[in-house]
Amino acid sequence: MSKILAITGAGAMSECMRQINPDVVPAFPITPSTQVIEDFSQFVADGKVDTEMITVESEHSAMSACIGAAAAGGRVMTATSSAGMALMWEMLHIAASMRQPVVMTLINRALSAPINIHADHSDSMGARDAGWIQLYAENNQEAYDNLIMAPKIAENMDVRLPVMVCMDGFIISHCVQTMQLEDDDKVKAFIGEFESTYPVLDTENPATWGALDLQDYYMEHKRAQHMAMKNAKDVIEKVSADFADIFGRKYELFESYRLDDAERVIIAINSVCGEIKEVIDERRENGDKVGLLKIRSFRPFPYKEIAQALAGVKVVTVLDRSESMGAYGPLFVEIRTALFDAPEKPMVYNRIFGLGGRELFMSDIHDIFEENKTYLETGKVEKMFDYLKVRGG
Amino acid sequence: MKEKYKLKDWQDLPIGGVVAEGGNSADYETGTWRTSRPIWMEENCINCLNCWVFCPEDAFILKDGTTKTGKPRKEIESINYYHCKGCGLCAKECPVNKKGKKIAIDYIKEEH
Ligand code: SF4
Ligand code: SF4
């Protein structure tokens, strides 16, 4: 039976994994993703799933085992965070290039040094070029829903790419929120049976995965991978539409919140969007035409669709919760690219916030809207790039 | 080049670089990698098969033969240059070569 329950974001992910009942889960625990694997291993111990759980000696091994198990012909899931994913680095690329539909929960956390266990997006943004589909979530309901959809997106024959389902560490992973937990059978029916491609355990039809590619073929394989990622855009939309039909919650590649007549818009990712919506509602009461564009799919990135959604907007503030030292934030770079061909370009500028879990309060978001109001009035972006809430300016 | 190995467009590749059939390395011409070439000298060969054991490309072709006393054994027939990549291991591991009096596998620069 579907039910409303109070659960942490991490707990919601392990419940979802229980419902999916993957063939193999290789994992190595790391804060703040530990609870996902901790709860799931309890399900394994209690016989609530048939999953082969492999407790490995590192995250590099965890992702290696994921790839091996997927190539063997199984549905495979895992979870990690921050430095854990950094240690998977080599294997992330291999999972994507070998087109293995591994599904991973990534609880976003800052990278060291100094050591910090709290939320920012430096882990997933650093992995943006690894060839994984990246879906982001504002709260645990969205993260749970994304995880239900992830295998269907990953395993689609026009895609066959790994999917990273991201949420903010602690803010979402460790905070209890109420959400709708769907019926086990309905989730299983939605996802369907796993279909393998050239599984190595099929000894009647021997296949070799991960062989050498020289100058004569490497580029063609990369080109095919690019196509798969492009296909993923339509597949994400299709799977989301099917999901809405069955479960009633609608998702697109990004969420447009009160964008229709908005003059000033914030673009952001993950949990901060909850506060931004509250602030927008408050300001809208006073007739302030502000809105939010919340990214759900960062890879593939919906350039055209975003440009269309921003038509008529005058000022865009892009919030990045990670940095590319010596460059603009990763989200800002994409947004500016998306807007370059727009007939009427809005002013676009970049703010870095929330690194290592630093809070952005509703008053801070009001300040952002005050600042971009000034920009709209003067017609000039005073500061293209700046930090929010850093001492010393 | 065999039709099968004509370079394909990206749309025609099996997914993720999978090699979707078994045993097809036999069709792959590693011979094009060769910058040096082993020459087998039948007259000096004692048919110990060291070269066959060490060859990483399985390039030594064997035939049935007999020892002086008439016992059946395998003997070297030739080198398959479609697969021989010219690494020189065979010439290094040949005991006749090692002794230094005669050469059973000569190892020379490939002429292009
Ligand atoms: S040179 Fe190398 S590849 Fe060629 S026959 Fe000798 S051992 Fe085999
Ligand atoms: S290693 Fe030398 S002696 Fe032995 S079989 Fe080969 S060529 Fe003949």
Side-chain angles (χ1 to χ4, degrees), chain A residues 97 198 207-208 217 220-221 223, chain B residues 7-8 10 13 16-20:
Chain A
S97 306
Y198 305 103
T208 304
Y217 268 113
E220 280 69 26
H221 280 126
R223 178 68 183 83
Chain B
L7 291 177
K8 289 176 180 152
W10 65 266
L13 298 181
V18 66
V19 181

Side-chain angles (χ1 to χ4, degrees), chain B residues 42-97:
Chain B
E42 188 170 8
E43 59 279 18
N44 297 331
C45 173
I46 57 172
N47 282 307
C48 70
L49 305 192
N50 252 16
C51 51
W52 174 76
V53 168
F54 278 95
C55 175
E57 295 299 335
D58 208 6
F60 280 90
I61 299 166
L62 302 184
K63 62 177 180 193
D64 290 322
T66 48
T67 61
K68 276 182 195 140
T69 57
K71 275 207 268 174
R73 68 165 183 184
K74 293 287 182 190
E75 294 178 352
I76 303 290
E77 183 178 270
S78 59
I79 294 174
N80 170 0
Y81 290 106
Y82 187 78
H83 289 143
C84 166
K85 65 184 176 192
C87 66
L89 270 178
C90 51
K92 258 261 179 322
E93 297 298 338
C94 173
V96 176
N97 286 14

Side-chain angles (χ1 to χ4, degrees), chain A residues 106-352:
Chain A
L106 177 77
I107 312 247
N108 289 109
R109 166 190 151 181
L111 285 165
S112 305
I115 296 174
N116 178 297
I117 57 170
H118 290 282
D120 75 28
H121 305 155
S122 44
D123 46 9
S124 56
M125 286 300 154
R128 68 183 182 175
D129 300 335
W132 284 59
I133 292 168
Q134 290 189 346
L135 300 177
Y136 289 84
E138 178 186 323
N139 49 41
N140 41 15
Q141 182 76 66
E142 287 186 14
Y144 169 78
D145 291 348
N146 280 344
L147 199 61
I148 296 178
M149 286 180 253
K152 253 185 113 68
I153 296 163
E155 293 164 18
N156 183 290
M157 286 300 167
D158 294 331
V159 178
R160 296 307 274 198
L161 287 173
V163 178
M164 207 178 275
V165 177
C166 309
M167 73 172 89
D168 282 345
F170 290 101
I171 304 166
I172 301 303
S173 68
H174 283 58
C175 286
V176 173
Q177 292 179 309
T178 51
M179 57 160 252
Q180 179 94 24
L181 187 79
E182 297 299 342
D183 176 63
D184 289 2
D185 292 336
K186 255 169 101 179
V187 171
K188 284 188 213 308
F190 179 74
I191 291 163
E193 286 296 312
F194 182 75
E195 230 183 296
S196 54
T197 38
Y198 305 103
V200 292
L201 288 184
D202 178 4
T203 49
E204 295 295 311
N205 300 292
T208 304
W209 283 99
L212 177 77
D213 228 359
L214 295 176
Q215 294 91 328
D216 55 355
Y217 268 113
Y218 187 80
M219 270 188 87
E220 280 69 26
H221 280 126
K222 291 294 138 188
R223 178 68 183 83
Q225 215 178 315
H226 180 81
M227 196 64 217
M229 193 54 104
K230 273 184 98 165
N231 295 342
K233 214 169 71 173
D234 292 344
V235 172
I236 293 169
E237 284 186 310
K238 169 83 176 56
V239 171
S240 304
D242 293 349
F243 181 90
D245 285 346
I246 295 168
F247 300 107
R249 288 180 296 279
K250 286 198 177 68
Y251 294 98
E252 293 179 38
L253 297 162
F254 53 88
E255 182 185 340
S256 304
Y257 190 77
R258 307 193 80 160
L259 269 194
D260 278 350
D261 60 342
E263 287 183 329
R264 283 141 44 231
V265 167
I266 292 179
I267 304 186
I269 297 178
N270 271 7
S271 64
V272 74
C273 295
E275 280 76 39
I276 296 172
K277 285 175 181 173
E278 287 285 325
V279 171
I280 288 171
D281 289 350
E282 279 180 20
R283 298 184 76 94
R284 282 274 178 180
E285 298 244 313
N286 303 320
D288 197 9
K289 289 182 177 172
V290 289
L292 165 75
L293 191 151
K294 180 181 87 186
I295 302 294
R296 176 172 175 239
S297 171
F298 188 76
R299 284 292 179 271
F301 196 83
Y303 294 96
K304 264 202 202 112
E305 294 83 348
I306 287 180
Q308 277 161 12
L310 293 175
V313 172
K314 303 277 191 312
V315 191
V316 175
T317 309
V318 182
L319 295 186
D320 267 289
R321 198 167 194 154
S322 66
E323 271 217 80
S324 178
M325 304 294 174
Y328 289 109
L331 178 57
F332 176 80
V333 173
E334 304 298 3
I335 298 296
R336 280 266 278 210
T337 303
L339 290 170
F340 190 78
D341 292 325
E344 282 169 63
K345 293 187 203 22
M347 291 182 253
V348 196
Y349 67 94
N350 193 195
R351 292 293 178 265
I352 306 289

